[in-house]
Amino acid sequence: MEVNRSDTATRILEVSELLFVEHGFEATSLRMITQQAEVNLAAVNYHFGSKDALFESVFMRRFTPLISACLAELDALEAKGAGDSIERVVMTFIRPCLALSRDPARGGALFVRLLSRALVENHRLLREALSREYSEFVERYTQAFRRALPELGEQDLSWRMHFAFGLMFNAFAGNDVLKIFRKSPVVTARDPEAIVQHLVPFVLAGLTMPASD
Amino acid sequence: MEVNRSDTATRILEVSELLFVEHGFEATSLRMITQQAEVNLAAVNYHFGSKDALFESVFMRRFTPLISACLAELDALEAKGAGDSIERVVMTFIRPCLALSRDPARGGALFVRLLSRALVENHRLLREALSREYSEFVERYTQAFRRALPELGEQDLSWRMHFAFGLMFNAFAGNDVLKIFRKSPVVTARDPEAIVQHLVPFVLAGLTMPASD
DNA sequence: GTAAGTTTCAAACGGTTGTTCGAACAATAA
DNA sequence: TTATTGTTCGAACAACCGTTTGAAACTTAC
């Protein structure tokens, strides 16, 4: 039956998202997942086929809409002829991330951490899928950045995009490298709006400084 | 005998460093390590006690000297009265990282990736050890940044340090989030000097922009 | 009602995990 | 030399892994 199927499957998806973020893919066993989701052990293989396929489902469920939202914002910006404002281009990426972080079910916020983890872990299950299906994302943003920062050479442009996206991904993922060294985090507030309020000027300062080459 | 012991133990350490970076802690089995290091399976438990303890040894072997080197540079800078130059303060962190990245045995460069992985994975084996023994690191740099950027409020200062260190850690770890989306990396050169050349101005731009609060 | 199709369930599969053990070996010291 | 200590080795341990299976339970359609 459709309702039950969906019920079990999405319960698995949600618990998996939580556990994958908390312990990582390898350290999360199907038994941990199915116990916490209160479903039978065999349910994962029945509904998703394998643990690997489950991970892809968990990931893509959030990732595809996020990428689409960013590109849609970029489309809209360029349509109204405001594509040469670097701040606005940056915001087309920030806003969908912000929306995810605000997800009332908290699943979205979790996912940003999963995304960041998957990227630095260079996950074997995602390497092909990402470069195959989402190279458009990078191409589009490279174009957009080039247009909004016309005074930069290709070298400068590459480096600054590299730093800017790394910074933004990590900021939303809440990867506070300093927090880990001491008991109380440097920044107590995890409020996504507060992040953006400080993150955007920082990123823009780096992006708009005078060209080096 | 001392030579043999060290030989086996350090061979384990070096292979582990490589495999932990490549596959992660959980996905690296003792059998993979001992096979590649050409030592007996039981050698790990004999020399290190457990897989967990091995990880701590692998990590601390590089981490402790790195932190010490940074603090020594900071000491030297303040001793010669140049502590109010934010660029020089930043460089006291950059230079030891750079030295690690240039390690001819390549172990150092690998470690920076391991460090970054461990930080975003928030490794259970490191959480306590780091905040227990290395809070001095954060304290010292917070002081140094506060002195070099006196016009900033505490809020601004926290955020900017948060962004700056996240950026620097990721840059040295070579976590190119854009690279993953397409076949050829945005930045082909992995040359540490080239990284620094572009990284430092970017970080300084964010750190020195006008205060927001 | 019966039949067909879908989903759940307990149990087991073969394989791998980290760890332990005691014997074998090597090296040092008396 | 013998005794002692530190190290290596193969074999085994119990526990856990992802996956499969076939029967039970349930839902839907006729």
Side-chain angles (χ1 to χ4, degrees), chain B residues 5-140:
Chain B
R5 186 217 169 276
S6 157
D7 200 24
T8 298
T10 65
R11 204 155 58 240
I12 291 175
L13 282 174
E14 259 143 36
V15 171
S16 301
E17 187 168 51
L18 184 76
L19 293 179
F20 284 156
V21 168
E22 200 160 352
H23 307 106
F25 175 75
E26 312 280 354
T28 303
S29 73
L30 293 184
R31 283 164 180 84
M32 292 166 63
I33 294 172
T34 52
Q35 262 172 253
Q36 187 153 334
E38 297 179 82
V39 301
N40 188 269
L41 170 61
V44 168
N45 287 278
Y46 175 75
H47 286 285
F48 299 95
S50 69
K51 189 188 176 188
D52 284 8
L54 169 63
F55 181 79
E56 261 202 61
S57 293
V58 168
F59 191 87
M60 290 304 174
R61 179 172 73 130
R62 309 264 188 206
F63 187 68
T64 307
L66 174 65
I67 296 298
S68 300
C70 290
L71 293 183
E73 290 235 14
L74 201 51
D75 285 337
L77 187 75
E78 290 172 348
K80 70 174 178 183
D84 40 5
S85 161
I86 182 62
E87 174 166 8
R88 291 191 177 175
V89 171
V90 166
M91 287 307 292
T92 64
F93 177 76
I94 295 269
R95 260 190 305 267
C97 290
L98 194 55
L100 252 191
S101 301
R102 262 195 303 235
D103 175 13
R106 292 286 307 155
L110 277 177
F111 168 73
V112 186
R113 287 180 57 197
L114 181 63
L115 174 58
S116 137
R117 255 189 102 135
L119 290 178
V120 344
E121 287 181 13
N122 202 358
H123 230 285
R124 70 189 158 84
L125 302 171
L126 298 177
R127 257 173 298 196
E128 287 184 16
L130 290 185
S131 68
R132 190 175 60 243
E133 302 187 36
Y134 297 97
S135 63
E136 181 197 356
F137 175 85
V138 176
E139 298 303 330
R140 286 290 311 278

Side-chain angles (χ1 to χ4, degrees), chain A residues 123-174:
Chain A
H123 229 287
R124 70 186 159 87
L125 301 172
L126 299 177
R127 257 173 300 196
E128 288 184 15
L130 289 185
S131 69
R132 191 175 58 242
E133 302 187 36
Y134 298 96
S135 63
E136 183 197 354
F137 175 85
V138 176
E139 297 304 331
R140 284 291 311 278
Y141 269 97
T142 304
Q143 255 182 280
F145 271 62
R146 189 181 292 123
R147 181 177 158 200
L149 300 168
E151 71 280 12
L152 295 186
E154 283 301 302
Q155 285 267 50
D156 258 355
L157 191 71
S158 287
W159 282 106
R160 295 188 190 189
M161 282 188 65
H162 169 59
F163 295 140
F165 277 97
L167 199 43
M168 292 189 286
F169 269 114
N170 276 286
F172 279 110

